[in-house]
Amino acid sequence: MEQILATTLRSAAPLALVALAGVFAFRAGIFHLGLEGLMITGAFVSVAVGDATGSVAVAILAATAVCMALSVLFWLVIEPLRANVIIAGLGLTSIGLGGTAFALAAVYDTRGSIRTDIALPRPVRGVNEGFGVIFSELSLLVWITPLIVFLAWVTLRRSRFGLRLAAVGEYPFAARSVGINPSVMRLKALLIAGALCALGGAELSVGALSSFTENMTAGRGFIAFVAVIFGAWHPIGAALAGLFFGFAEAVGIQSQINISESVPREFVLMIPYVLTIFAVWLGGLRRRRSLEAEAGYAELREPD
Amino acid sequence: MARWRCPSTRKSEPIDHSVPGERLDESASPREWAVRCEGVSVNFGAVRALHNVCLALEQGRIHALVGQNGAGKTTLARVLAGLQMPDIGEVHILGRPIQGGNVRAAQAAGLAMVHQHFSLPPSFSVAEALELTATKGGGAPIYRRRELERRWLAEVAGSCNVSSLSTRIRDLPVETRQSLEIVRALASDARVLLLDEPTALLTPSATDSLFDRLQILRDTGVTVLVVLHKLREVAAIAETVSVLRDGEMALGPVETATTPQGLISDAIIGEGHYESADVAGQAVATGVGRRTHLLMEEVSSKDSAFERGLKNVNLRIDGGETVGIAGVEGNGQRSLVSAVAGLTRIEGGSIRIGESEAAASSPARRRMLGLRLVPFDRNTEGVSRSASLWLNQSALRLIGRRQGDSPIISTRRYREHARKALERWKVRYESVTQPAGSLSGGNIQRLILSRELSDGTEVLVAAQPTRGLDFAATEFVRRSLGELRSAGAGILLVSSDLDELFELSDRLLVMLGGEVVARFVPPYDRRAVGDAMTGARR
């Protein structure tokens, strides 16, 4: 039981962080399918730079910088060059997955995985017995994730910046009519999203495992994207959805260990993905309702 | 600033200003012009939206800007508001030059704009929407919701009927949304208020109260420039009027009080006068003698999200006859059109089109039987805005393939056909491959008519066919309906314009709460019809 709680928190933190990234992008009107690519880039860069410099702080900063740079590239493609957002996002994911696998081979001359000695600090190290023992496994990033969620909520829902971002995403004409440049706002949102993806990836590699494995994100970027929709594009909703998917993952991992051989292993591994499909269906139901509510407004809209 | 003249010289003056309309006494204005633009031109690709427009407006008055659909009114308004970058030309607001395409500079100079399509995001609460659009710094970058609502309450109170500032924009009625737009425009201490077709969506009484507000604003020294469609409204509110035609300044500004309306309408229409399409030649006159083209018996349908369903509606339309449907909006007119067109399933009753029972038929089958439809919303129901003109024009022929037609679509033939049809209907377009959404409202309506009135029309359902059109386009549509009727088709005309119904209808039915509550024949008694519409008893 304690084990499931610990695994849930550890699995949920990267999902929640990347889901927040998705929320920032979504608020600006961008369907960000490059989350997976940014996440794995963050995971790889933090291991590689951490290994080279020996400093976990430098590793995180480097991962953030690289992911933000990739986000600028993404922005250049979709805004000034007007490419299709979905295609460009999937391209970004391919760059991340392929690029990290390539870098793994080029730098470490290996396929598969690398280990490193550095790890994120674990704040509650001292506890050795009782209930607290499970928390000693959690990295600093897991602990501050709720704080990041709160900051994201303030930024998106209680700040002028958040209002402008929402206007850009929902109704660009409203933004333009008060002199806001939608393109610049989207760049800002993507930069924030890039940084959040880097943190999510870093938690996955130097936070939980101190290693990097090829394709270690295993679709978590896409699950996080689903969490965005499931969480109704609200930062707290998305974070809770991330927590839910983290729980599903934890159940999958635990039952791999515990459940007898009567249930096939593959079936149990399926659980988080089946739950994802279920979540998409639920999200679709709600979306249909809100679309009907908006139909009355549709005729007033300026075609963009 | 003794006398201001447009620096460019026009070669041909389309209207001689000097005769009946009195030119503004320019020397009498010692102050800066509220709005002044010189030689403004805007091109969208090959389309000329504005050409060498010069305009100077005095402070503290109400000015009107009129013109046909597509004459460039909205483009000019957007140039003034800094939303549209002019290709060449200068804009000054209260004497300050505005760099093209800079909204904030226009705001800083004192101009605020109320857009034709409202500019408040629908999912925002009232307080959030006002905060978003506020230009004066209200407070810290981070706010608390309650504090935000308290701050805006004072601005909204009195001028606008909003129960709570946490109401979402999309839940507000159109009039309230518009008052909010004005509130937000004035919250920035605007000295020049620009309204783009503010009356298009308003009921007559809401229009009156808007005009009252504008007059109060004028009395406090605000300059108002309002883009209008109807000359009646110009006469009611504006002190001066300027006319745009084909992107050029055709007239004005001239004083409304001393300028005859005929002069203004001539300036709007130009020398081309009214255009007319040769409908009679095309509509197939199936109705030899009087044959019933549409028969509805005891038709009932479910309530929709927007209005009441039908209750035991009986309706007969013969060939060569126009039946009008009057009623306050939302009393079942949409349900009626949907039931006839086959867009919703009816619960009981029968619908015959020509000789065939069609109550269970698909919309496509009804089309084959000779039903044609000019829908309520031409932009979303009448055309596919993203599809090309020729596809939109040939949609009916593409659906209803007749025997002997090749299953392979000859793009060239359809395009050629579309080109001819569009020319016959005087649609102004560049190429048949341009998207339908690039046309102006009046031209979209012509495109729809060119498709729906092509051939084999037995009965036409025309829902609000002239709403939002300028009067040349309105005249064109009405004339086309009249010609279709003479050619022997039956017409079901749904309109909220009583004058239009009186002019065109052979019989008039009034709908109230989904029922036909009264039937009239000419000569119509406006008061009796009005009573039936509102359910009033005297």
Side-chain angles (χ1 to χ4, degrees):
Chain A
M1 189 58 220
E2 289 93 7
Q3 206 51 49
I4 286 205
L5 182 60
T7 317
T8 298
L9 292 177
R10 213 168 48 203
S11 310
L15 286 175
L17 289 170
V18 178
L20 285 183
V23 171
F24 270 96
F26 200 100
R27 285 263 154 187
I30 299 165
F31 255 61
H32 200 330
L33 288 181
L35 296 175
E36 174 93 1
L38 291 175
M39 193 180 184
I40 196 149
T41 305
F44 176 78
V45 172
S46 50
V47 166
V49 173
D51 204 37
T53 63
S55 159
V56 88
V58 173
I60 300 277
L61 283 178
T64 309
V66 171
C67 285
M68 286 170 92
L70 277 177
S71 296
V72 172
L73 177 72
F74 182 49
W75 176 80
L76 283 175
V77 171
I78 62 169
E79 282 291 324
L81 299 179
R82 298 246 152 236
N84 180 297
V85 176
I86 307 286
I87 308 288
L90 290 175
L92 185 57
T93 288
S94 299
I95 289 177
L97 292 174
T100 51
F102 172 73
L104 199 61
V107 179
Y108 295 94
D109 198 18
T110 176
R111 296 191 63 84
S113 68
I114 48 165
R115 290 200 60 79
T116 171
D117 296 331
I118 67 141
L120 283 169
R122 300 189 170 173
V124 281
R125 218 90 234 208
V127 189
N128 285 322
E129 53 190 293
F131 193 71
V133 114
I134 61 157
F135 296 116
S136 67
E137 292 176 15
L138 303 178
S139 79
L140 180 65
L141 255 178
V142 178
W143 289 104
I144 64 169
T145 294
L147 178 67
I148 295 175
V149 172
F150 176 72
L151 286 178
W153 175 78
V154 170
T155 309
L156 288 172
R157 307 291 299 192
R158 290 292 183 275
S159 79
R160 286 162 161 261
F161 174 78
L163 281 182
R164 292 183 182 168
L165 205 59
V168 166
E170 182 181 349
Y171 197 26
F173 181 74
R176 290 207 301 123
S177 74
V178 287
I180 300 167
N181 185 336
S183 191
V184 172
M185 290 303 287
R186 291 200 183 106
L187 176 61
K188 290 178 183 172
L190 284 178
L191 285 174
I192 296 173
L196 287 166
C197 284
L199 291 184
E203 163 57 23
L204 213 56
S205 60
V206 296
L209 297 168
S210 289
S211 72
F212 176 83
T213 313
E214 207 179 307
N215 191 25
M216 79 184 301
T217 47
R220 282 186 181 82
F222 291 106
I223 293 183
F225 184 77
V226 173
V228 174
I229 298 169
F230 196 38
W233 320 293
H234 190 283
I236 293 175
L240 288 177
L243 189 65
F244 170 74
F245 287 126
F247 173 69
E249 200 178 315
V251 169
I253 293 169
Q254 284 303 310
S255 45
Q256 258 181 80
I257 304 166
N258 297 333
I259 286 182
S260 66
E261 280 154 27
S262 59
V263 182
R265 211 174 77 87
E266 287 76 10
F267 192 79
V268 176
L269 281 177
M270 235 165 61
I271 291 174
Y273 301 98
V274 170
L275 280 174
T276 306
I277 292 174
F278 181 69
V280 172
W281 174 69
L282 274 183
L285 281 188
R286 186 172 43 211
R287 173 136 180 77
R288 191 173 314 157
R289 264 204 303 280
S290 72
L291 276 183
E292 274 163 17
E294 290 228 334
Y297 201 87
E299 56 196 73
L300 300 179
R301 279 198 169 194
E302 183 200 47
D304 229 25
Chain B
M1 177 79 38
R3 184 167 273 270
W4 180 84
R5 290 212 66 82
C6 188
S8 63
T9 45
R10 259 189 246 109
K11 271 183 191 151
S12 60
E13 203 87 344
I15 304 286
D16 187 2
H17 300 302
S18 58
V19 192
E22 180 190 324
R23 204 63 169 133
L24 282 182
D25 188 5
E26 283 156 353
S27 56
S29 171
R31 298 173 297 174
E32 287 291 347
W33 298 101
V35 170
R36 179 163 71 91
C37 55
E38 284 174 23
V40 169
S41 295
V42 175
N43 294 287
F44 298 117
V47 179
R48 194 179 78 170
L50 290 178
H51 180 69
N52 199 16
V53 168
C54 302
L55 180 67
L57 300 174
E58 279 183 286
Q59 286 190 41
R61 309 186 76 191
I62 298 180
H63 307 275
L65 179 65
V66 296
Q68 297 196 51
N69 293 327
K73 304 181 301 275
T74 297
T75 308
L76 179 58
R78 288 189 173 185
V79 167
L80 296 180
L83 266 169
Q84 173 68 48
M85 172 94 93
D87 296 340
I88 49 167
E90 284 174 42
V91 175
H92 299 256
I93 306 292
L94 294 167
R96 283 168 68 172
I98 303 300
Q99 250 120 54
N102 189 337
V103 176
R104 298 216 172 141
Q107 283 171 344
L111 182 134
M113 179 165 176
V114 174
H115 293 274
Q116 179 181 8
H117 302 279
F118 297 147
S119 64
L120 303 174
S123 81
F124 279 37
S125 76
V126 173
E128 283 172 341
L130 290 172
E131 181 71 14
L132 167 75
T133 55
T135 45
K136 64 178 171 196
I142 292 172
Y143 55 84
R144 290 166 69 187
R145 196 163 270 181
R146 190 153 316 152
E147 168 214 332
L148 193 68
E149 287 172 13
R150 204 176 44 235
R151 188 143 49 80
W152 282 106
L153 196 61
E155 300 270 1
V156 174
S159 52
C160 162
N161 180 23
V162 182
S163 54
S164 154
L165 291 200
S166 53
T167 314
R168 299 211 175 277
I169 299 293
R170 62 161 167 258
D171 297 330
L172 296 174
V174 174
E175 304 88 50
T176 316
R177 242 181 262 164
Q178 187 173 52
S179 338
L180 268 184
E181 295 263 351
I182 297 174
V183 167
R184 79 127 199 200
L186 295 175
S188 55
D189 294 328
R191 304 303 300 153
V192 180
L193 183 63
L194 180 51
L195 301 100
D196 188 10
E197 294 190 24
T199 57
L201 296 164
L202 295 184
T203 59
S205 68
T207 302
D208 289 344
S209 59
L210 170 70
F211 285 175
D212 288 346
R213 287 199 64 192
L214 292 183
Q215 266 152 356
I216 294 169
L217 283 173
R218 188 262 326 268
D219 295 342
T220 62
V222 175
T223 310
V224 178
L225 173 59
V226 53
V227 177
L228 290 172
H229 252 340
K230 296 179 183 149
L231 282 187
R232 185 162 45 77
E233 292 173 351
V234 172
I237 182 79
E239 292 164 85
T240 84
V241 58
S242 313
V243 179
L244 270 176
R245 186 177 72 232
D246 293 338
E248 295 187 48
M249 221 52 185
L251 174 69
V254 293
E255 294 291 324
T256 319
T258 54
T259 309
Q261 289 217 350
L263 185 73
I264 300 172
S265 64
D266 283 351
I268 294 173
I269 307 287
E271 287 104 49
H273 299 297
Y274 294 114
E275 301 156 77
S276 168
D278 179 22
V279 186
Q282 300 156 51
V284 169
T286 38
V288 185
R290 284 174 79 82
R291 202 161 61 85
T292 298
H293 284 205
L294 176 73
L295 183 66
M296 300 175 75
E297 284 178 328
E298 296 294 317
V299 173
S300 300
S301 68
K302 273 204 187 112
D303 294 354
S304 75
F306 303 107
E307 66 171 22
R308 309 294 291 271
L310 302 177
K311 282 196 216 93
N312 304 325
V313 169
N314 291 296
L315 176 66
R316 195 193 78 240
I317 300 178
D318 292 338
E321 169 179 65
T322 297
V323 176
I325 301 289
V328 177
E329 267 178 69
N331 275 290
Q333 297 93 324
R334 277 173 194 271
S335 299
L336 178 69
V337 170
S338 297
V340 176
L343 302 177
T344 51
R345 192 178 296 250
I346 59 170
E347 294 204 297
S350 84
I351 298 176
R352 290 176 73 84
I353 297 171
E355 303 295 315
S356 315
E357 173 62 43
S361 305
S362 68
R365 165 93 184 123
R366 296 180 200 218
R367 297 274 184 166
M368 311 257 283
L369 292 173
L371 178 79
R372 297 291 183 265
L373 174 66
V374 176
F376 278 101
D377 187 342
R378 50 182 164 270
N379 288 319
T380 58
E381 301 167 319
V383 293
S384 162
R385 291 180 68 89
S386 57
S388 63
L389 293 184
W390 75 267
L391 263 177
N392 271 299
Q393 213 286 324
S394 351
L396 275 185
R397 285 152 43 96
L398 290 168
I399 296 167
R401 192 162 67 84
R402 276 157 304 193
Q403 287 203 321
D405 280 5
S406 158
I408 311 284
I409 295 167
S410 160
T411 317
R412 196 179 50 78
R413 266 228 320 274
Y414 277 105
R415 284 186 184 172
E416 188 49 44
H417 177 88
R419 208 168 286 136
K420 279 191 193 135
L422 293 179
E423 241 121 69
R424 204 156 50 219
W425 284 85
K426 312 271 191 322
V427 179
R428 281 179 53 190
Y429 70 103
E430 290 283 310
S431 138
V432 286
T433 53
Q434 79 187 81
S438 61
L439 295 182
S440 68
N443 279 314
I444 286 182
Q445 197 70 315
R446 284 170 199 247
L447 166 65
I448 293 171
L449 289 171
S450 83
R451 178 183 69 212
E452 300 295 328
L453 305 192
S454 50
D455 52 2
T457 305
E458 297 254 338
V459 50
L460 174 77
V461 177
Q464 303 281 17
T466 61
R467 169 181 279 188
L469 299 185
D470 60 67
F471 55 74
T474 299
E475 200 55 37
F476 179 86
V477 170
R478 288 181 185 168
R479 206 174 280 217
S480 305
L481 293 181
E483 287 170 23
L484 181 72
R485 170 177 162 274
S486 331
I491 299 174
L492 179 65
L493 173 67
V494 180
S495 178
S496 54
D497 183 342
L498 275 184
D499 295 318
E500 174 170 284
L501 286 169
F502 292 165
E503 181 189 329
L504 297 179
S505 308
D506 297 306
R507 288 187 287 129
L508 189 63
L509 275 51
V510 176
M511 289 191 76
L512 181 64
E515 287 178 87
V516 174
V517 292
R519 291 162 196 266
F520 296 92
V521 288
Y524 299 113
D525 177 356
R526 182 179 285 266
R527 218 163 125 182
V529 173
D531 286 352
M533 284 168 61
T534 52
R537 280 167 220 279
R538 286 184 204 270

